[in-house]
Amino acid sequence: MKAAIIYTSVTGNTAVLAEEIYIEMNHHIDDIDFLTIDQVDFDALPDYDIIAIGTYTWGSGELPVEMDELFWEIEERDLQHVITGVFGTGDRFYPYFCGAVDQFRDMLYVQSQLAVTLKVELLPQGEDLKKVPIFCERLLSKLVSVPA
Ligand SMILES: Cc1cc2nc3c(=O)[nH]c(=O)nc-3n(C[C@H](O)[C@H](O)[C@H](O)COP(=O)(O)O)c2cc1C
């Protein structure tokens, strides 16, 4: 079983969440690529069983520009066999909280086996981090439920 955690983060909030997800996933999966968006080989995306994508939100509920290519690549590839989850941080000060997570959610629902989403306000706190094992469980439980 092979998994990837792919994320972007400018001020570190999404990076903290990504690291917590990586630590938790490591309890269950040996082979995990922990990648910032600039490290991703798009041709390798179909080789993963699980992909978790992490993003902050920019503009007015928009994807960060560095995530655009990943979004388009997944839209154009057949990832129906890949279980996916999307997580992110945002700020409720803005009218569209974590809009980038919603954009990935809607696309991944069509293009892959979307299992779970997680939104956190700014730097993850204790209550947010309690949701990390649940996020990972949902990814893994979808894996066992897919017919061989
Ligand atoms: C110019 C600007 C626009 C933003 N727009 C949104 C937004 O529309 N929705 C939202 O939820 N958060 C918005 N944010 C907040 C960031 O997504 C939030 O601070 C996030 O945690 C940053 O993630 P990072 O620390 O991983 O870079 C915006 C922040 C900035 C500076």
Side-chain angles (χ1 to χ4, degrees), residues 8-15 56-62 89-92 94-99 120-123:
T8 184
S9 181
V10 173
T11 58
N13 298 336
T14 313
Y56 62 94
T57 294
W58 204 242
S60 183
E62 295 302 321
T89 68
D91 187 342
R92 291 188 193 278
Y94 293 92
Y96 196 168
F97 177 60
C98 284
V120 166
E121 182 151 32
L122 299 171
L123 186 64

